[in-house]
Amino acid sequence: MSDAPLRLAGVERRYRTEAGELPVLQGAELELQAGEIVALVAPSGTGKSTLLHLAGLLERPDAGEVFVGGRAAGTLSDDARTAIRRTTIGFVYQFHHLLPEFTAEENIILPQQAAGVARGAAAARARRLLASFGLTGREHHRPGRLSGGEQQRVAIARALANSPRILLADEPTGNLDVGTSDLVFGELLQAVRGQGVAALIATHNPALAARMDRVVTLAEGRVVAG
Ligand SMILES: Nc1ncnc2c1ncn2[C@@H]1O[C@H](COP(=O)(O)OP(=O)(O)OP(=O)(O)O)[C@@H](O)[C@H]1O
């Protein structure tokens, strides 16, 4: 049995719509090794976000199984899935989703506290992470006082706060201008490579995809080489 950080086996997901059933994933297979960074490049509406939500244990598949570190997530309770999500999986979204009323540092402390880390240790790690993204001096700024690129750097630092084995990202630099996107994406790759994280990153940008280790796409509900 594989103990890869993430494995999807025969994953199916369909949505019920007014027009009937919409099959989105129809037997998706994907395995990510530690330290491997995989680009997910597929046309709009083919199921990238759906795949990321299933891989991140935010939703359950209609059939098939998601294995995290070799463990079948389908058999677990919602509480057990939440615990895995908090400690093992980091998420980065296109829009930063930082909590607006908390500072950059607090946004990185909170998920650590939710995973049981003491406040002092969480604050020290938050400061180290912010420094590694060039944000020393910005620790006490709220998201509204940061630039778009800085906000997204904080969101990436937050995703890495609990040293996850898996990073899932949905267009992580998609709302930034080309130059800033290039820079922030480079920092993201460097941070992920440095920690040996298995990463699955959806992007529409072929230049960014080319900087990852492998490209996959979605065709007729399955994952195929891109
Ligand atoms: N909750 C839902 N209910 C019904 N249909 C849905 C739901 N979520 C997604 N869909 C449909 O499933 C298909 C796949 O959606 P998904 O968001 O996974 O695609 P995507 O590849 O991430 O698209 P994009 O690149 O535009 O973000 C789309 O046709 C979408 O309309």
Side-chain angles (χ1 to χ4, degrees), residues 41-106:
V41 183
S44 189
T46 51
K48 297 183 297 298
S49 300
T50 300
L51 186 82
L52 289 168
H53 288 156
L54 292 167
L57 312 188
L58 291 165
E59 287 180 32
R60 292 177 186 264
D62 295 310
E65 185 57 278
V66 177
F67 296 89
V68 176
R71 203 164 163 207
T75 57
L76 302 175
S77 67
D78 287 347
D79 284 352
R81 289 163 63 93
T82 300
I84 291 179
R85 210 161 47 234
R86 282 192 180 141
T87 55
T88 311
I89 306 175
F91 292 91
V92 186
Y93 300 94
Q94 178 171 2
F95 300 99
H96 56 78
H97 291 306
L98 296 170
L99 298 171
E101 66 277 34
F102 290 96
T103 66
E105 187 175 298
E106 287 164 343

Side-chain angles (χ1 to χ4, degrees), residues 117-139:
V117 179
R119 177 144 186 122
R125 176 153 175 82
R127 283 194 293 273
R128 277 200 306 279
L129 276 165
L130 286 169
S132 74
F133 283 94
L135 291 171
T136 299
R138 302 280 201 284
E139 296 91 342

Side-chain angles (χ1 to χ4, degrees), residues 38-42 48-49 52 92 168-174 185 199-205 208 212:
V38 176
L40 175 58
V41 183
K48 297 183 297 298
S49 300
L52 289 168
V92 186
L168 302 172
D170 203 349
E171 293 282 353
T173 59
F185 198 81
L200 181 61
I201 303 177
T203 179
H204 283 111
N205 183 329
L208 296 184
M212 297 188 233

